[in-house]
Amino acid sequence: MVTIINEACAISPCNTRFAAGGDDGIIYLYNKESSVSLLTIYPAHMARVNDVAFSHDGSMMCSAGKDGKIVIYTNTTKHVLYLPEFKLPVKDYGNLFEEEIESNLPKMIEVFSLVWTCDDTRIVCASSDYLVRVCYSHTGKQY
């Protein structure tokens, strides 16, 4: 099986690891100290990984996906801290016919990019609904 790695790549602050996101929704974490070797894989998303980023202290990593999710990991325990799903507000469609409702439903929100704040307590992300969101890195809750 061949995995296509897209433009989602990041190097850890200590310059010893790098992460690459695949079109298959998986993040590949590599060790680059002695020779490049695959450390582990994270099945992160149901669709393409759009962006990956390490926290400034290197203890956490996060990813943004076409599936509308941000996934936050600790690099030492390989544990998913939180998987927030960003959704649009519910709209009242009144007495529209079913076909009209389907054509007016919001499309899935895709998270394009993300960045850590300087103190690593929050993550800022940009998405396909033209909004910028901020969430806490340890809880995933929106700011």
Side-chain angles (χ1 to χ4, degrees), residues 2-139:
V2 176
T3 298
I4 306 295
I5 301 295
N6 59 33
E7 64 273 358
C9 296
I11 298 175
S12 66
C14 58
N15 202 25
T16 58
R17 292 170 290 146
F18 70 91
D23 283 347
D24 56 2
I26 295 176
I27 298 171
Y28 299 86
L29 186 64
Y30 295 90
N31 179 8
K32 66 179 254 315
E33 282 186 325
S34 53
S35 64
V36 177
S37 60
L38 183 65
L39 289 175
T40 190
I41 61 170
Y42 297 101
H45 297 274
M46 300 302 290
R48 182 183 69 237
V49 178
N50 289 332
D51 199 8
V52 290
F54 286 95
S55 60
H56 292 90
D57 67 3
S59 67
M60 293 181 282
M61 180 179 67
C62 61
S63 63
K66 183 175 179 159
D67 58 2
K69 295 178 182 173
I70 292 177
V71 183
I72 306 167
Y73 299 93
T74 64
N75 292 328
T76 54
T77 61
K78 303 173 191 168
H79 177 69
V80 178
L81 294 175
Y82 197 73
L83 195 88
E85 292 184 44
F86 297 126
K87 298 179 180 170
L88 291 174
V90 176
K91 182 177 177 183
D92 181 12
Y93 291 101
N95 293 328
L96 292 176
F97 290 107
E98 192 171 322
E99 309 82 56
E100 293 172 316
I101 292 173
E102 285 181 14
S103 66
N104 286 303
L105 285 175
K107 304 294 183 230
M108 180 184 288
I109 300 170
E110 183 173 351
V111 183
F112 293 124
S113 62
L114 43 76
V115 65
W116 292 85
T117 57
C118 293
D119 60 0
D120 292 334
T121 60
R122 294 176 298 262
I123 299 167
V124 181
C125 67
S127 54
S128 61
D129 60 352
Y130 307 105
L131 293 177
V132 173
R133 291 180 173 84
V134 180
C135 66
Y136 291 101
S137 59
H138 292 300
T139 64

